[in-house]
């Protein structure tokens, strides 16, 4: 049983504790799911999470608009990740894929949100390109004005939910200015002619992922989210909300690794005593527990700060993501070590955690990029 004492920290209100309890009970009944067909599994997870109401925090409620609650987003990702990485992924993409629409969309664009919150439509966030991952402002994809339309041409890659999403938030160069100030955001329904899956990408912890080709994809000017040239700012505002939640997913993986380790160290006998009795193992467990609590403090500090109305939490979110993802990698590595041979056996939970955690140190800003961000904020 994972340590839940952190829920008593002053960052949370009673509604957060109730939410975490309800979600944990749902997860215990419904997760993990079979990962053999990740497309089918994700569609099914989105439908079931939506039906149960657990996708509600991912986007603005059009009937009762208000800010996204980052603490709920983090608690949900942490809890889902502890039970099943694919469930966390399915939840996370509903938020990231629609974040720009929640924050900057017109009422017409926001009509999509009722469907994504209900689990009836899947969303994706299409920012990265083959030449511009970390260097986002260097993107090539063009959106050219043609009468009342924009025509999008180019490629996006590493797009989570690519191929199964119903709508894409797409960033493209509209050329108001060079670099970051010449990018705009668009809402592109998946069935728009010219939008094609160029390649499906297979990674060490498989989930739906694709390179997309935009072959003269024509959308009306009303598909633009926010103003011309605001795309980079919009992308950064979305990441400002969701970056801490990547840390929260890492925290969920780390908590699961510690739970599995405690179970193993208590039941495995070595040299006539439980593994627990070896001081070196106790040292590992102490470091794991310390990393988990420190990560949780940084994550919920960032989430609480945002929820209290801070316009940006650049520094807090970068610290939370960097520390939580890097330390979760260490925590999980220790869990693998303490499990001995079983730790590297395909299909063992700690083996899958070892694969699941890796990409979190790369996407939504690699660890190195977070260090640059923290240094710049600190030196200001
Ligand atoms: C599993 C997965 C899912 C993803 N999902 C999405 C998605 O849904 N939508 C989307 O748009 N993108 C997505 N991405 C893309 C992801 O955001 C990029 O992979 C990431 O931004 C890094 O870009 P890159 O792969 O081009 O690496 P590069 O930009 O080539 O960077 C390579 C490495 O260089 C180092 N580096 C980069 N910049 C700096 C710097 N300033 N200082 C020091 N070192 C630096 C880092 O170690 C970095 O990992 C996903 C990626 C993965 C792996």
């Amino acid at each position: 049983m994972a340590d839940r004492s952190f829920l008593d920290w002053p960052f949370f209100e009673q509604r957060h504790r109730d939410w975490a309890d309800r979600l944990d009970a749902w997860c215990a009944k419904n997760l993990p799911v079979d990962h053999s067909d990740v497309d089918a599994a994700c569609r099914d997870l989105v439908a079931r999470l939506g039906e149960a109401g657990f996708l509600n925090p991912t986007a603005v409620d059009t009937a009762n608009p208000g800010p996204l609650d980052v603490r709920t987003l983090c608690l949900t990702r942490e809890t889902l990740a502890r039970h099943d990485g694919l469930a966390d992924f399915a939840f996370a993409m509903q938020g990231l894929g629609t974040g720009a629409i929640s924050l900057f969309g017109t009422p017409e664009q926001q009509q999509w949100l009722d469907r994504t919150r209900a689990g009836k439509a899947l969303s994706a966030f299409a920012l990265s390109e083959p030449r511009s991952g970390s260097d986002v402002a260097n993107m090539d994809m063009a959106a050219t004005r043609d009468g009342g339309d924009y025509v999008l041409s180019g490629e996006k890659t590493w797009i989570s939910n690519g191929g199964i999403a119903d709508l894409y938030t797409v960033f493209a160069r509209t050329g108001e200015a060079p670099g970051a100030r010449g990018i705009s955001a668009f809402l592109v329904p998946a069935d728009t002619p010219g939008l094609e899956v160029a390649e499906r990408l297979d990674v060490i912890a498989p989930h739906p992922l694709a390179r997309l080709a935009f072959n003269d994809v024509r959308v009306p000017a009303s598909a633009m989210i926010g103003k011309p040239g605001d795309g980079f700012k919009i992308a950064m505002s979305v990441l400002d909300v969701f970056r801490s939640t990547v840390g929260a997913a890492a925290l969920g993986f780390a908590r699961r690794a510690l739970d599995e380790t405690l179970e193993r160290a208590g039941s495995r006998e070595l040299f006539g005593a439980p593994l627990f009795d070896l001081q070196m193992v106790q040292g590992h467990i102490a470091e794991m527990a310390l990393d988990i609590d420190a990560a949780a403090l940084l994550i919920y500090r960032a989430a609480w700060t945002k929820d209290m109305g801070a316009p940006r939490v650049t520094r807090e979110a970068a610290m939370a993501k960097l520390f939580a993802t890097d330390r979760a990698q260490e925590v999980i590595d220790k869990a693998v070590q303490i499990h001995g041979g079983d730790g590297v056996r395909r299909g063992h939970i700690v083996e899958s955690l070892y694969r699941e955690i890796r990409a979190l140190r790369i996407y939504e800003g690699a660890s190195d990029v977070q260090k640059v961000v923290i240094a710049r904020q600190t030196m200001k």
Side-chain angles (χ1 to χ4, degrees), residues 31-321:
L31 302 180
V33 299
D34 178 9
H35 288 208
S36 55
D37 177 346
V38 288
D39 289 7
C42 282
R43 284 197 191 97
D44 182 56
L45 279 164
V46 166
R48 288 196 290 139
L49 284 166
E51 200 178 327
F54 290 121
L55 296 180
N56 286 343
T58 59
V60 160
D61 178 358
T62 53
N64 186 19
L68 299 173
D69 191 81
V70 186
R71 287 167 294 174
T72 306
L73 288 168
C74 288
L75 275 175
T76 309
R77 288 201 68 177
E78 178 187 335
T79 307
L80 291 171
R82 185 157 48 75
H83 288 272
D84 185 348
L86 206 56
D88 163 59
F89 167 81
F91 172 86
M93 287 318 301
Q94 292 302 95
L96 188 65
T98 58
I101 306 170
S102 279
L103 300 179
F104 301 96
T106 60
E108 200 182 10
Q109 291 167 344
Q110 289 194 342
Q111 282 174 14
W112 275 98
L113 303 181
D114 299 338
R115 294 180 57 203
T116 58
R117 290 170 80 244
K120 294 185 188 324
L122 280 80
S123 71
F125 180 79
L127 182 66
S128 303
E129 297 183 6
R131 251 174 33 88
S132 67
S134 308
D135 189 6
V136 177
N138 196 27
M139 73 172 53
D140 292 315
M141 189 154 131
T144 313
R145 187 80 197 228
D146 182 22
D149 298 336
Y150 278 94
V151 180
L152 278 62
S153 51
E155 266 191 353
K156 291 287 170 187
T157 194
W158 300 115
I159 306 310
S160 298
N161 271 353
I164 66 165
D166 297 286
L167 75 147
Y168 293 88
T169 296
V170 181
F171 297 86
R173 184 162 295 290
T174 37
E176 290 73 19
R181 285 175 296 117
I183 293 168
S184 301
F186 296 89
L187 190 169
V188 182
D191 56 3
T192 312
L195 171 48
E196 280 154 28
V197 174
E199 183 187 5
R200 289 298 297 256
L201 306 174
D202 194 14
V203 288
I204 55 175
H207 65 253
L209 196 64
R211 179 165 61 85
L212 303 172
F214 289 72
N215 301 313
D216 294 336
V217 172
R218 184 173 285 274
V219 292
S222 60
M224 186 181 280
I225 305 168
K227 292 203 216 69
D230 275 358
F232 185 81
K233 253 186 4 204
I234 291 174
M236 294 307 121
S237 302
V238 171
L239 293 177
D240 203 55
V241 172
F242 288 97
R243 187 160 277 147
S244 313
T245 78
V246 181
L251 176 62
F253 291 143
R255 283 201 200 278
R256 180 64 182 267
L258 178 58
D259 287 353
E260 297 293 329
T261 301
L262 293 174
E263 175 73 33
R264 176 75 170 203
S267 59
R268 172 84 169 153
E269 292 242 333
L270 278 189
F271 312 111
L275 208 48
F276 256 156
D277 284 6
L278 298 174
Q279 276 198 345
M280 201 100 77
V281 170
Q282 291 173 15
H284 285 321
I285 289 171
E287 284 167 1
M288 292 163 87
L290 178 62
D291 278 339
I292 285 172
D293 269 14
L297 282 163
L298 283 172
I299 290 161
Y300 291 109
R301 187 246 326 225
W304 176 85
T305 306
K306 186 81 183 165
D307 289 343
M308 291 304 112
R312 294 300 280 251
V313 286
T314 311
R315 175 169 169 271
E316 293 86 347
M319 284 184 170
K321 188 202 180 241

